[in-house]
Amino acid sequence: MDVNAAVAAAAAIAGLCTGVIAMLAFRWSERDQARPTRTSLHTDAVLPPGVDTVLSVLRSSAVVLDESDSVVKASSAAYALGLVRGGKLAVEPMLHMARDTRRDGEIRQVELDLPRRGTGRGEALAVSARVAPLGSRLVLLLVEDLTEARRIEAVRRDFVANVSHELKTPVGALSLLSEAVMDASDDPEAVERFAGRMQIEATRLTNLVQELIDLSRVQNDDPLEDAEPVRVDELIAEAIDRSRHPASTKQITMAVGGTSQAQGSGGGTAALHIWGNRGQLAAALGNLVENAVNYSPARTRVGISARRVAAPGGDLIEIAVTDQGIGISEKDRERVFERFYRVDPARSRATGGTGLGLAIVKHVAASHGGEVTVWSSEGQGSTFTLRLPEAGAVRDRSTTGPDRVDEDDDRPYDTDPNSEIPAPEVLP
């Protein structure tokens, strides 16, 4: 009995010790798992609370660096600009700024011109970089892309300089001519000659001021606020009336075709319409016709034609103005829609051109949801094409009809100036 009792007591004591040891081991394991490791300290809780959310909504490119200059966090915009590569900040001046800020805690800001990588273009990428400490170990870098702002500022400066030059020319001529009139007061023929020149310069000044006003209006106004269905044939008739006198003087024939009638879905006819601001559309088309007349040799022809074009978002109306002038070189075709740009400055002066007409056409087309394009061949002439949304409410949109043209047909109407415009109405 005594032996059995001793064995039982020993077994109970052994079981109790085993249980205590197991419990202690379990508690020790739990404490070990709860204890943060060096790796978790470096990755999981490296950003202060809320910083990740704030960085995700910033418009600027954001990069967070640790004490070893490794990138802890970078926005997608930072990668797009090429600031981060292989987990490191790739821009050396920004890296030096980050190290200085980490050392003394001061906020730094600088503007830099960075080369564009992988684009093949020569212009630099203008950025503004700002570095600030983030906590005790991290540094935050915010980079703002200033390239577009720099471009807009350059355009504004060029515009102001061009306007100043263009205004000074006729104003200076008027001043000199008025002095000449005063000096020639005893010579009636000289007075008459100088007065005629003054009228020419005054007309040029008036046209320049008016086109500046028109350009400012089409840039700032919303043409669709006063939009209405506008008949294409009426726009063309107004543009022709505007240039009828100079065309008659140079014996230029203006031929109009395919503008007034279009086949409707019910077998009847309906006029082509454009949806937009009548005044701006008339000014744009008038500028195209006026340019065609001014830059065409005597006894040639200017053609104006229109057609309906099928497009995924709704039918478009294309109006083409074709001349038989000297044409435009390839390098000039890329710039003809710039403000104050002239292909032939001497001829522009002779015709009273301001260099703003095609810029106005471009802005009118863009503000109406359309575009203007140019086809030209030196020695053969040019074709300027306006493509604008049709006023779909004035007719039943049909998927059939002889007047419809496939949207992939981007050829100009009359690339051969000697070809005939279909069913033309010849206006002397």
Side-chain angles (χ1 to χ4, degrees):
M1 293 291 296
D2 293 339
V3 173
N4 291 335
V7 171
I13 292 172
L16 179 61
C17 291
T18 302
V20 170
I21 293 173
M23 183 181 66
L24 291 175
F26 177 75
R27 292 290 180 85
W28 185 267
S29 175
E30 279 189 334
R31 190 172 64 178
D32 244 8
Q33 291 179 3
R35 181 184 303 163
T37 63
R38 179 175 299 179
T39 303
S40 66
L41 281 172
H42 183 71
T43 59
D44 296 340
V46 71
L47 291 178
V51 172
D52 195 6
T53 303
V54 172
L55 295 181
S56 65
V57 299
L58 285 177
R59 297 182 60 183
S60 305
S61 302
V63 180
V64 179
L65 303 176
D66 62 11
E67 63 271 16
S68 62
D69 292 332
S70 297
V71 175
V72 177
K73 175 74 176 180
S75 64
S76 57
Y79 287 98
L81 288 178
L83 303 179
V84 178
R85 289 186 178 84
K88 294 290 184 178
L89 187 62
V91 183
E92 197 66 25
M94 295 181 186
L95 189 58
H96 290 317
M97 288 174 58
R99 291 170 179 169
D100 293 340
T101 297
R102 185 185 298 112
R103 184 179 63 253
D104 55 25
E106 293 185 3
I107 296 175
R108 289 174 169 82
Q109 183 169 352
V110 68
E111 292 188 2
L112 300 171
D113 291 331
L114 307 179
R116 291 182 182 269
R117 299 180 181 272
T119 62
R121 294 183 293 178
E123 67 268 22
L125 188 70
V127 298
S128 173
R130 185 178 179 85
V131 181
L134 185 64
S136 58
R137 299 184 299 110
L138 304 180
V139 173
L140 173 63
L141 172 68
L142 296 178
V143 180
E144 191 77 24
D145 188 356
L146 303 179
T147 307
E148 184 64 16
R150 290 268 188 92
R151 187 191 68 80
I152 293 174
E153 178 62 21
V155 170
R156 187 193 66 81
R157 286 197 306 268
D158 291 343
F159 180 73
V160 172
N162 286 328
V163 168
S164 301
H165 173 73
E166 295 294 336
L167 289 174
K168 285 179 180 178
T169 301
V171 169
L174 286 172
S175 177
L176 292 175
L177 288 169
S178 64
E179 292 179 5
V181 169
M182 294 178 62
D183 294 339
S185 57
D186 297 333
D187 186 350
E189 292 184 1
V191 170
E192 184 177 356
R193 185 172 66 255
F194 292 140
R197 289 288 304 168
M198 290 178 69
Q199 288 182 338
I200 294 174
E201 296 298 334
T203 301
R204 177 176 296 170
L205 180 60
T206 301
N207 292 338
L208 175 59
V209 172
Q210 184 58 51
E211 290 200 346
L212 285 172
I213 294 172
D214 292 341
L215 180 61
S216 176
R217 183 178 295 116
V218 300
Q219 286 180 317
N220 297 325
D221 293 349
D222 182 5
L224 300 184
E225 289 183 357
D226 302 321
E228 60 178 333
V230 182
R231 287 177 62 104
V232 174
D233 54 355
E234 293 178 356
L235 288 177
I236 293 179
E238 187 173 338
I240 289 174
D241 285 339
R242 172 175 166 177
S243 300
R244 189 180 299 275
H245 177 69
S248 176
T249 302
K250 298 173 68 174
Q251 299 180 10
I252 292 176
T253 300
M254 288 188 283
V256 183
T259 61
S260 59
Q261 301 296 329
Q263 188 69 29
S265 59
T269 58
L272 298 178
H273 288 71
I274 294 174
W275 184 258
N277 182 289
R278 181 183 183 85
Q280 292 190 15
L281 293 172
L285 185 56
N287 285 343
L288 291 181
V289 175
E290 185 177 18
N291 276 1
V293 172
N294 289 338
Y295 287 90
S296 292
R299 293 179 294 278
T300 56
R301 187 191 63 157
V302 170
I304 307 102
S305 186
R307 63 178 178 177
R308 180 178 297 123
V309 179
D315 289 352
L316 302 174
I317 299 297
E318 286 188 349
I319 306 174
V321 179
T322 302
D323 63 57
Q324 295 176 291
I326 61 175
I328 305 172
S329 65
E330 184 177 356
K331 67 179 181 66
D332 288 324
R333 285 199 298 271
E334 299 176 357
R335 302 190 59 190
V336 291
F337 296 105
E338 294 180 13
R339 291 171 291 190
F340 296 109
Y341 185 80
R342 297 181 177 92
V343 175
D344 187 348
R347 180 173 295 222
S348 295
R349 293 291 182 188
T351 60
T354 63
L356 292 174
L358 291 179
I360 292 174
V361 175
K362 178 183 177 180
H363 282 287
V364 170
S367 62
H368 282 75
E371 62 176 353
V372 58
T373 58
V374 58
W375 173 94
S376 186
S377 179
E378 292 186 85
Q380 296 187 30
S382 305
T383 297
F384 286 85
T385 303
L386 269 175
R387 176 180 285 192
L388 298 165
E390 184 182 15
V394 302
R395 71 175 191 91
D396 181 18
R397 294 179 180 270
S398 171
T399 57
T400 61
D403 62 297
R404 298 179 65 85
V405 180
D406 190 273
E407 62 179 334
D408 294 329
D409 182 7
D410 291 330
R411 295 170 297 176
Y413 298 94
D414 196 9
T415 57
D416 181 2
N418 296 316
S419 64
E420 293 296 328
I421 296 179
E425 174 193 355
V426 180
L427 302 176

